[in-house]
Amino acid sequence: MKELIVNPKYHHKKLNIFILNTFPALSPNTLYKALRKKDIRINDKRIHENVTLHTGDKITLFIADDLLFPPPLHLPIIYEDEQILIINKPTGISVTENVHSEITLTDLVKKQLGKNIEPCHRLDYHTTGLILYAKNKTSLAILQQKFKNREIEKHYKTTVLGTFSKKHAILTAYLFKDSKKSLVYISDSPQKNYAKIITEYTVIYENQKNNTSELDVILHTGKTHQIRAHLSFIGHPIIGDGKYGNYEINKQFGQSTQMLCSCKLKFNFTTESGILSYLNRSGIFAFFQRMHTWSFNQMTISFITTAMARTIPSFGNFIPSQFTS
């Protein structure tokens, strides 16, 4: 049995939309069979029709868990020691909170590896790549402070529409977050309630034939949707981005999710780092093939620093290497 409360997003929406969005692994046929058998209740009343929902409605499902949830996700662990854990996040899962009542990456990490493990930063639902977790409160406090101090450098790889006259730039703008619409807006000039953002990019490959560029992006500030919205604002939307991109372009490239990956973490500690001092001047990064072959399973991970490499077992294509900036 599962109990759910309808949130405002689904006010005046049909039951099937809410249920199927909440449980993506559930087949429509199974849902409609449950309706016919009256295995669904709304506000404690059995129903047999696809009714309209209202905010605050309580939905009770009498559907087996193995029909509601997909098989357990294999956690792709990139690096682990006594203090930290680095996971390669796939697309289509939230790191923490989400609006669909779906299981999160952190839920899986806690269930499979320990309840005290906590994420140190976030990635968007459809953004892939490296997520750093702390395995205890001391490590978490240190890493959160390091992110706040900009002592951990985060690099992203992305493929965008268009080519650039400037192959490298540090962009400054201002961002407003509209939480109700789950959107952000960018301005060239300061405005009320807009936060300053700084985004650095370097062009690493241009495809003149299909008018795209691959970029290495560094976040100097870490705001919601910053990379996606900022690149779109300057006329170079990320291929596949359904929010800030172009539908026809995304369709042309056959991409339904943004081609954006957290591909490198560099630890540049300049203040006291306690039990994590061994991480200083090291990093972890991922290489990808060209845009049309990008996928979570085709990553090759390289570990940077001999010290870290010695602690890492051999995992096929995981290749220890010396750091190159």
Side-chain angles (χ1 to χ4, degrees):
M1 183 188 76
K2 288 285 180 293
E3 288 190 351
L4 306 168
I5 302 297
V6 177
N7 61 44
K9 178 179 178 179
Y10 291 96
H11 185 61
H12 281 171
K13 298 290 178 64
K14 289 293 187 179
L15 172 70
N16 66 327
I17 295 174
F18 176 68
I19 297 299
L20 294 175
N21 282 351
T22 303
F23 301 103
L26 179 66
S27 73
N29 286 341
T30 300
L31 173 61
Y32 297 130
K33 182 178 179 181
L35 279 172
R36 290 194 298 271
K37 294 174 63 179
K38 297 185 178 181
D39 284 341
I40 299 177
R41 296 179 181 177
I42 296 183
N43 300 324
D44 297 323
K45 294 182 179 179
R46 292 182 180 272
I47 61 164
H48 63 277
E49 295 178 337
N50 186 29
V51 299
T52 299
L53 301 176
H54 301 87
T55 300
D57 282 347
K58 182 179 78 171
I59 299 176
T60 308
L61 302 178
F62 295 91
I63 301 175
D65 282 358
D66 59 350
L67 298 175
L68 293 174
F69 301 105
L73 177 69
H74 168 67
L75 288 174
I77 299 174
I78 301 306
Y79 175 76
E80 182 177 13
D81 61 28
E82 293 182 355
Q83 310 299 336
I84 68 167
L85 172 72
I86 297 177
I87 299 286
N88 184 12
K89 175 190 170 301
T91 186
I93 189 169
S94 298
V95 176
T96 52
E97 72 285 340
N98 63 85
V99 297
H100 301 304
S101 302
E102 297 171 358
I103 193 166
T104 68
L105 183 66
T106 300
D107 292 333
L108 293 171
V109 168
K110 287 176 176 288
K111 183 176 181 180
Q112 297 183 32
L113 300 172
K115 64 180 181 179
N116 293 325
I117 301 176
E118 296 290 347
C120 303
H121 59 116
R122 307 286 187 270
L123 289 177
D124 291 343
Y125 185 77
H126 284 302
T127 299
T128 62
L130 305 177
I131 285 285
L132 176 61
Y133 282 86
K135 299 180 75 173
N136 52 67
K137 290 182 179 179
T138 301
S139 293
L140 180 63
I142 293 171
L143 291 169
Q144 286 179 333
Q145 189 62 46
K146 297 303 181 187
F147 275 113
K148 183 178 180 180
N149 293 346
R150 307 299 173 195
E151 296 177 44
I152 300 176
E153 190 174 291
K154 294 185 289 184
H155 289 245
Y156 295 77
K157 184 171 181 182
T158 186
T159 299
V160 302
L161 183 66
T163 58
F164 293 73
S165 56
K166 290 185 176 181
K167 305 308 178 186
H168 173 263
I170 299 177
L171 309 172
T172 299
Y174 301 86
L175 178 149
F176 172 75
K177 180 180 178 181
D178 187 332
S179 298
K180 290 183 178 180
K181 294 182 179 179
S182 190
L183 284 169
V184 303
Y185 302 92
I186 307 294
S187 169
D188 271 331
S189 58
Q191 296 189 44
K192 184 179 180 180
N193 297 324
Y194 277 65
K196 184 178 180 179
I197 59 171
I198 302 173
T199 309
E200 180 177 355
Y201 75 82
T202 301
V203 177
I204 56 177
Y205 176 78
E206 288 185 346
N207 189 324
Q208 299 289 342
K209 185 177 180 180
N210 66 16
N211 190 34
T212 61
S213 299
E214 289 184 19
L215 309 178
D216 177 84
V217 180
I218 301 175
L219 280 180
H220 293 277
T221 53
K223 300 300 182 182
T224 301
H225 299 176
Q226 177 177 327
I227 295 175
R228 297 163 61 190
H230 205 170
L231 290 174
S232 179
F233 180 73
I234 65 169
H236 296 284
I238 294 175
I239 302 298
D241 193 337
K243 252 180 192 176
Y244 304 101
N246 181 292
Y247 174 79
E248 291 300 326
I249 295 296
N250 296 343
K251 186 176 179 181
Q252 175 186 332
F253 285 97
Q255 291 292 328
S256 58
T257 57
Q258 65 261 18
M259 299 188 68
L260 178 63
C261 177
S262 169
C263 66
K264 184 191 297 186
L265 295 172
K266 290 175 63 178
F267 303 99
N268 301 319
F269 299 160
T270 58
T271 58
E272 175 60 38
S273 49
I275 60 173
L276 298 182
S277 59
Y278 67 95
L279 291 175
N280 197 22
R281 312 310 301 172
S282 67
I284 293 178
F285 63 98
F287 292 106
F288 294 85
Q289 297 176 359
R290 288 285 165 253
M291 179 183 65
H292 62 282
T293 60
W294 268 30
S295 80
F296 157 73
N297 290 322
Q298 290 171 317
M299 251 197 228
T300 299
I301 307 297
S302 287
F303 298 88
I304 326 153
T305 101
T306 305
M308 289 183 69
R310 281 200 298 267
T311 69
I312 299 166
S314 175
F315 289 114
N317 288 331
F318 295 174
I319 309 167
S321 71
Q322 293 297 321
F323 173 76
T324 56
S325 57

